[in-house]
Amino acid sequence: MIAPRDDLALMAGYHSPQVDVVVRLNTNEAPEPPPEGFAAALAAEIAQVAWHRYPDRGYAELREAVAAHHDVAPGQVFVANGSNEVLQTLTLAYGGAGRTVAVFEPTYALHSHIARITGTAVTVGERTEGLALDLAEVRRVVADARPAITYLCSPNNPTGMVEEEATVREVLDLVAAVDGLLVVDEAYGQFASWSALELVGDDVPLVVTRTYSKTWSMAAARLGYLVGPRLLVEQLDQVVLPYHLDAVKQVAGRLALRFDDAMRTRVASLVEERGRLVARLLDLPVEVWPSEANFVLFRPTVRAGGDVWKQLLERSVLVRDCSSWPRLDGCLRVTIGTPAEDDAFLDALEEVLT
Ligand SMILES: *Cc1c(COP(=O)(O)O)cnc(C)c1O
């Protein structure tokens, strides 16, 4: 039988278990479906789709809507099937054999996973003991490896910690000095106090990626995008498969942005709910990281994280088990859900830990 490429053979895939539970707080989705009115507007437009024709290859209306949302030019926007496909397209264009991607662990596993699948070398920098970015380490890694692509994730998954503007500017200078590209993954950007979007420009080697999967309550749609230099967007348009965005998705992405006000209200209430959840967590025997995202990383101090994860599952509460991941010994990550879901999680955790 045919075998996969040698450099893929031993790689473990990236999977979150999709098990049937009452309280699902493991993949950082929004706790509610899109706002009232979205589904009806989508259905009305789907009725008009010319199914026998290819969709608009350049997805002009969606591109314009995303550009207007961020007050940038349509030519600075690239949209794909989830921000993971945005990252894959970037790596296909700027990574590959003989090139290197730099990541600072612990961070989002897909950054290095996609690099490896595309035959790109991965160089791993370490964070501090408290899991913060270490600029001295970034300087060392960028100078040693001269990476084509350097990743930051802000807020970082799985810690929830945000990189400050001064930090991102400094990393950008380092990356520019080696003719590389800085990718700031802002999948949770709307929950944070600062965004690197304001640093994007046509002469700046920076892209900021966003997704519809979290804030926009649209994980099922598989839509994500980046904002970056026009020339880079033109190059990505040449690398991505033709007609990669189907007609329905183009409509869905455009219509979702009409509900911007509702989204902002939801983000604000999730941030408030995060405060409530963290306050209750701090009363329990756990260590908690300061999150500016819609999830919280914590480490039980009286029981092994993996055991706590199982005992929560027995109570039909599913969180993310990071306890066996390198550098995250004993840690679990919980998504902010509805107040009722969060209470179910907190009550179960309290029962398990006390
Ligand atoms: C969830 C997540 C994504 C989203 O990927 P999609 O393909 O858009 O669903 C991207 N980056 C990070 C850091 C994430 O946590």
Side-chain angles (χ1 to χ4, degrees):
M1 257 308 266
I2 182 102
R5 270 173 16 221
D6 287 344
D7 56 332
L8 296 184
L10 291 173
M11 279 179 10
Y14 173 80
H15 298 294
S16 311
Q18 288 193 310
V19 295
D20 210 8
V21 289
V22 176
V23 179
R24 187 184 307 275
L25 301 174
N26 67 327
T27 45
N28 301 341
E29 294 143 310
E32 292 173 285
E36 182 85 32
F38 170 79
L42 181 61
E45 290 217 23
I46 288 178
Q48 310 294 321
V49 167
W51 288 103
H52 58 309
R53 299 297 183 193
Y54 281 106
D56 175 13
R57 182 166 175 174
Y59 52 91
E61 290 184 52
L62 173 59
R63 214 188 272 256
E64 271 165 37
V66 173
H69 179 70
H70 288 297
D71 202 17
V72 297
Q76 294 178 307
V77 173
F78 173 79
V79 188
N81 294 279
S83 57
N84 286 334
E85 193 185 44
V86 173
L87 303 178
Q88 185 188 61
T89 311
L90 280 167
T91 318
L92 288 170
Y94 305 111
R99 294 192 172 203
T100 301
V101 156
V103 297
F104 298 89
E105 297 285 2
T107 192
Y108 186 50
L110 263 287
H111 298 158
S112 50
H113 181 72
I114 289 169
R116 293 193 178 98
I117 286 180
T118 57
T120 315
V122 177
T123 185
V124 176
E126 297 295 328
R127 288 171 188 261
T128 65
E129 195 82 344
L131 306 182
L133 195 69
D134 177 351
L135 272 174
E137 174 75 344
V138 179
R139 219 168 281 128
R140 183 191 69 77
V141 165
V142 172
D144 284 359
R146 303 181 68 83
I149 299 173
T150 298
Y151 276 106
L152 293 182
C153 187
S154 179
N156 189 27
N157 182 0
T159 64
M161 285 150 78
V162 169
E163 304 308 343
E164 287 175 17
E165 176 172 355
T167 307
V168 176
R169 281 185 185 277
E170 196 157 340
V171 176
L172 190 51
D173 287 344
L174 294 169
V175 164
V178 298
D179 290 329
L181 175 69
L182 176 61
V183 178
V184 181
D185 184 334
E186 289 193 355
Y188 307 95
Q190 293 91 339
F191 297 97
S193 47
W194 180 76
S195 166
L197 276 169
E198 63 185 63
L199 302 182
V200 169
D202 285 334
D203 301 321
V204 184
L206 165 72
V207 300
V208 175
T209 64
R210 291 276 176 111
T211 177
Y212 281 74
S213 298
K214 315 288 163 52
T215 316
W216 293 97
S217 293
M218 287 195 22
R222 308 304 301 125
L223 263 171
Y225 58 89
L226 67 73
V227 179
R230 262 170 256 244
L231 185 62
L232 175 142
V233 169
E234 280 170 25
Q235 290 164 350
L236 296 181
D237 281 338
Q238 288 166 20
V239 168
V240 77
L241 291 174
Y243 313 106
H244 68 296
L245 289 180
D246 69 68
V248 171
K249 187 173 315 219
Q250 292 189 30
V251 173
R254 174 165 53 77
L255 292 180
L257 299 179
R258 284 193 193 159
F259 298 88
D260 190 27
D261 287 348
M263 180 274 275
R264 285 174 201 276
T265 305
R266 286 173 174 204
V267 166
S269 60
L270 281 169
V271 166
E272 200 180 316
E273 175 66 2
R274 181 183 72 207
R276 189 184 74 89
L277 182 140
V278 167
R280 263 194 78 185
L281 268 185
L282 290 173
D283 283 339
L284 296 173
V286 297
E287 192 183 340
V288 182
W289 275 264
S291 172
E292 286 198 40
N294 68 336
F295 57 82
V296 176
L297 185 73
F298 66 99
R299 176 189 279 141
T301 51
V302 290
R303 299 242 195 309
D307 293 343
V308 173
W309 183 81
K310 276 195 212 99
Q311 288 176 295
L312 289 174
L313 191 57
E314 281 163 16
R315 290 162 177 78
S316 210
V317 174
L318 180 63
V319 299
R320 194 64 189 267
D321 183 7
C322 318
S323 62
S324 61
W325 299 2
R327 307 165 189 85
L328 290 172
D329 198 25
C331 289
L332 303 177
R333 190 195 69 195
V334 62
T335 305
I336 309 301
T338 62
E341 288 172 326
D342 298 339
D343 281 336
F345 156 72
L346 289 160
D347 292 347
L349 184 66
E350 187 168 345
E351 199 177 289
V352 169
L353 291 181
T354 55

